[in-house]
Amino acid sequence: MDALSALAPFLQLGAGGLLSLGIVMILTGRLVPGGIVDKLLAARDRIIEQQQGTIDRQEVRADLTASQITQLLESGKTSAHVLEEIRRLVEKRPGEGS
């Protein structure tokens, strides 16, 4: 019964009033055909899928970059250690350099 009482103002408009109301709703964009809504939703879904693919690729790229940085840091530490040992050995031998 509540649903019918909610429609009471529209029932008083009559057929011409309801038609006018429908036209006004279409012109203001409050009433849109289902085909257009489906196209808009499909376009939105395609954009979401593209963005998700981009995010996934960026995550893989970030993981690869982090792995490469870790490897470079390890080789840098090793190189620094070797160079430090060479410097230490050269300093222990006085008179052999210049």
Side-chain angles (χ1 to χ4, degrees), residues 21-85:
L21 180 65
I23 291 172
V24 168
M25 288 178 70
I26 290 172
L27 293 175
T28 59
R30 295 182 189 274
L31 185 62
V32 181
I36 292 176
V37 171
D38 293 339
K39 288 178 185 176
L40 291 173
L41 292 176
R44 182 199 64 183
D45 292 341
R46 277 194 309 275
I47 291 171
I48 289 172
E49 288 174 11
Q50 290 172 350
Q51 293 296 323
Q52 189 61 45
T54 301
I55 290 169
D56 292 341
R57 286 191 303 275
Q58 288 178 347
E59 287 175 350
V60 169
R61 189 175 299 138
D63 291 342
L64 180 61
T65 302
S67 172
Q68 290 173 344
I69 289 172
T70 301
Q71 292 172 359
L72 287 172
L73 284 173
E74 289 298 320
S75 64
K77 288 177 185 178
T78 303
S79 298
H81 181 69
V82 167
L83 291 173
E84 184 63 31
E85 286 297 316

Side-chain angles (χ1 to χ4, degrees), residues 1-8 11:
M1 199 66 161
D2 291 331
L4 291 178
S5 63
L7 291 175
L11 293 176

